[in-house]
Amino acid sequence: MLVGRPSDHRSGRWTPGALALALAVPLLGACAEPPSFLLSWELDDGQGNPDPEPALSPVEQCAVVGVSKVRVTTMVGACVDSKFVGADVDTREYPCSAASASSGAVDGPTLEPGEYTVLVEGLRRSGEPWACEHSLCELDPSSAPCIARAVTSVTVTEGDAQPIHSVTLMSPPQCDDGIDNDRDGRVDGHDPGCILDPTGPESADASVTVIQPRVTFLGRPVVRPFHVGIQALLVEISGEQLAVIGDHQLDLSQWPFRLPILSGELDEGSYELSITGLDAGQVPVTQTISFPFDVDQDQAKYVVNQFDFTEDRFLEPIVAPISFNTSLLLSPDAVTGPGCELGGHLADNQPITLDRLWVRITDGSQPLDAAALGLTGFAEVGGLIAPVDEPGGWVSYECPSSVIDSVPLTWGGYDIEVQGRIGAEVCFATPALIELPPQPFSSTELGLERVLVDDEPPVGCRECTANIDCSNQVCVKHVCVDQEPSSNG
């Protein structure tokens, strides 16, 4: 039998640990084609006791564990190398409260005589089952239980009654049942107890204050702490150190960036949560940002606050260059590409290349000219680039063969647009305005997408007119693409 979690006595309610299912197979009638087995289920208290005191109705039993329906899938097949190989014969769903030992059973399918595997799944209110990493063949109650899921074998023999098959469905943990078990207004992953321990009860947070700060730097998702000289964050509560969080411990997969979850037992009263940015020597590089909060012992506290380290919060101005590198995305699925060469070649067999790059870099209000940017780098044709101002706040220079750097600038924030041109034609461009971070040690990679007009490049940007103009490619709408040529023309 699968063993569920213990009952939660703190709430004063019985919290069942598992669903118990009984499969009863009656005699097959000769004319009525009755179902091959009947199903009934009830809940136990997680200790193997199907009749707890006080007894709950079937509706209550299902409600307290978050199981909305039960899905029964009957299959034929067998386990081969720990994988079930077969086919579904019948699938049907029942309300979780539709059957119990006291209220009767529901009909299963009518089956031909033979051996069957029956998968029984409890479903969430969304209609989805709980995730299970085990295959049907691994659902051994003694070794690999899954939430609200079990398998049993049923033998159908014409004219003979079948023995009762009993399985146990492990009830979902409180932190994954879709219920506000401790009635604090927070459900599952939003409850402090579940944040601390996803496998425990929601009521485990009663005496704990959970803290999850979020931070931003210069108000931009592209700016990481190392871009602005922050190597760690000092977290304090009312002047007492709670933790020092290294920049590598931040969750940078979403913005604002999340610090690890912190917790502690605090007496009732008023407090201040504060964060300070530190450099590699643990020396402050920012002002301390504070957030007041109160702790009430009658309910758990979940402190969430965003700390914005804007440029005015730094003790010294952030001075760093803009540094970027460009590549041509020759196909829609490309992630990088050449710096200046297009596909195709000219009549003299020379590759088609961009003449110049045009860039427009703004500081949030206006573009910076060539003198203010002081861009440097090497040109594809040799020598250093020679930036010049163009109309509309653009600066142009020879197509580069290297990273382009500006002079050190004071941050703020800067945005960039880039165009790759042949003559007056714009052949490649960044798809949108791109935010830039300070780059004291590395460069920002910018991919330029092909410009198309009615699915074709502008006349001055065409790579080919026939397959012979492409190297090991074919010419499609004046673009060299990777596919086998069917002709030369």
Side-chain angles (χ1 to χ4, degrees):
M1 176 175 290
L2 302 182
V3 179
R5 55 177 165 78
S7 57
D8 182 3
H9 300 291
R10 293 196 225 180
S11 63
R13 298 182 295 152
W14 166 68
T15 303
L19 283 170
L21 175 72
L23 302 179
V25 184
L27 291 173
L28 290 175
C31 300
E33 293 188 358
S36 296
F37 56 82
L38 301 177
L39 288 80
S40 67
W41 51 85
E42 62 186 30
L43 306 175
D44 67 25
D45 62 0
Q47 308 299 319
N49 302 317
D51 297 311
E53 294 293 341
L56 300 178
S57 71
V59 172
E60 292 172 319
Q61 291 172 345
C62 295
V64 293
V65 296
V67 176
S68 175
K69 295 181 180 180
V70 171
R71 181 165 68 199
V72 178
T73 304
T74 305
M75 299 166 284
V76 292
C79 291
V80 178
D81 296 330
S82 299
K83 293 183 179 180
F84 185 81
V85 179
D88 294 352
V89 174
D90 181 88
T91 299
R92 56 187 65 196
E93 294 180 2
Y94 308 92
C96 177
S97 59
S100 69
S102 60
S103 63
V106 297
D107 292 345
T110 300
L111 303 170
E112 297 291 333
E115 300 289 335
Y116 296 89
T117 298
V118 178
L119 171 65
V120 186
E121 301 171 288
L123 303 182
R124 302 174 185 267
R125 288 171 172 80
S126 65
E128 297 296 322
W130 278 264
C132 178
E133 63 182 8
H134 304 290
S135 71
L136 295 182
C137 302
E138 297 174 325
L139 290 180
D140 179 356
S142 65
S143 60
C146 281
I147 295 173
R149 181 177 303 203
V151 172
T152 189
S153 298
V154 174
T155 300
V156 177
T157 304
E158 187 172 1
D160 293 334
Q162 299 297 324
I164 295 176
H165 298 266
S166 297
V167 298
T168 300
L169 300 180
M170 183 191 303
S171 66
Q174 287 192 3
C175 291
D176 193 24
D177 61 5
I179 299 171
D180 180 13
N181 295 277
D182 57 0
R183 301 178 183 179
D184 66 350
R186 301 184 179 97
V187 177
D188 292 355
H190 298 287
D191 192 282
C194 296
I195 293 173
L196 289 174
D197 181 8
T199 65
E202 289 186 0
S203 58
D205 64 297
S207 62
V208 176
T209 298
V210 179
I211 300 170
Q212 187 171 47
R214 303 175 183 181
V215 293
T216 67
F217 305 99
L218 303 186
R220 294 179 166 233
V222 297
V223 181
R224 306 298 202 248
F226 66 86
H227 287 140
V228 291
I230 292 178
Q231 301 294 319
L233 295 170
L234 171 63
V235 183
E236 299 174 294
I237 293 181
S238 297
E240 293 189 11
Q241 178 176 315
L242 179 63
V244 175
I245 307 298
D247 61 343
H248 62 282
Q249 296 177 273
L250 270 64
D251 179 3
L252 303 179
S253 64
Q254 54 185 317
W255 189 80
F257 307 131
R258 293 187 179 185
L259 277 70
I261 295 171
L262 306 170
S263 65
E265 294 188 9
L266 298 176
D267 295 330
E268 184 174 354
S270 297
Y271 297 87
E272 274 196 345
L273 173 65
S274 62
I275 298 182
T276 308
L278 308 177
D279 65 12
Q282 304 287 290
V283 176
V285 295
T286 72
Q287 300 172 359
T288 298
I289 304 176
S290 299
F291 171 73
F293 68 95
D294 297 319
V295 172
D296 183 348
Q297 292 299 102
D298 292 334
Q299 65 179 30
K301 188 66 181 177
Y302 185 24
V303 181
V304 177
N305 189 63
Q306 181 172 317
F307 295 78
D308 297 313
F309 289 94
T310 52
E311 59 266 30
D312 58 313
R313 294 287 191 176
F314 286 80
L315 301 181
E316 299 290 340
I318 300 169
V319 178
I322 292 171
S323 184
F324 60 94
N325 189 36
T326 55
S327 62
L328 306 183
L329 307 182
L330 299 181
S331 63
D333 58 349
V335 294
T336 188
C340 296
E341 290 188 7
L342 285 65
H345 51 78
L346 302 172
D348 60 0
N349 212 34
Q350 292 298 310
I352 300 173
T353 61
L354 297 179
D355 294 333
R356 300 180 71 81
L357 289 192
W358 287 42
V359 299
R360 181 161 56 189
I361 299 174
T362 59
D363 62 3
S365 60
Q366 60 184 7
L368 280 66
D369 61 19
L373 290 169
L375 299 178
T376 58
F378 292 96
E380 180 75 13
V381 296
L384 297 175
I385 63 170
V388 296
D389 290 316
E390 303 285 0
W394 292 88
V395 174
S396 77
Y397 50 86
E398 300 86 346
C399 193
S401 62
S402 68
V403 171
I404 301 299
D405 296 309
S406 75
V407 295
L409 301 172
T410 301
W411 296 71
Y414 296 95
D415 304 303
I416 189 171
E417 301 169 84
V418 184
Q419 296 178 348
R421 298 194 180 197
I422 298 177
E425 297 277 21
V426 179
C427 303
F428 288 81
T430 48
L433 197 67
I434 296 176
E435 294 181 344
L436 292 169
Q439 290 284 20
F441 309 114
S442 59
S443 62
T444 299
E445 298 293 324
L446 302 176
L448 309 188
E449 297 180 2
R450 191 186 298 275
V451 174
L452 299 175
V453 180
D454 296 330
D455 292 329
E456 295 187 2
V459 174
C461 304
R462 292 178 177 178
E463 297 177 340
C464 58
T465 57
N467 292 346
I468 196 172
D469 298 328
C470 302
S471 299
N472 300 317
Q473 294 179 308
V474 293
C475 185
V476 177
K477 294 185 177 181
H478 303 290
V479 175
C480 294
V481 299
D482 290 328
Q483 67 180 56
E484 291 299 324
S486 57
S487 69
N488 201 36

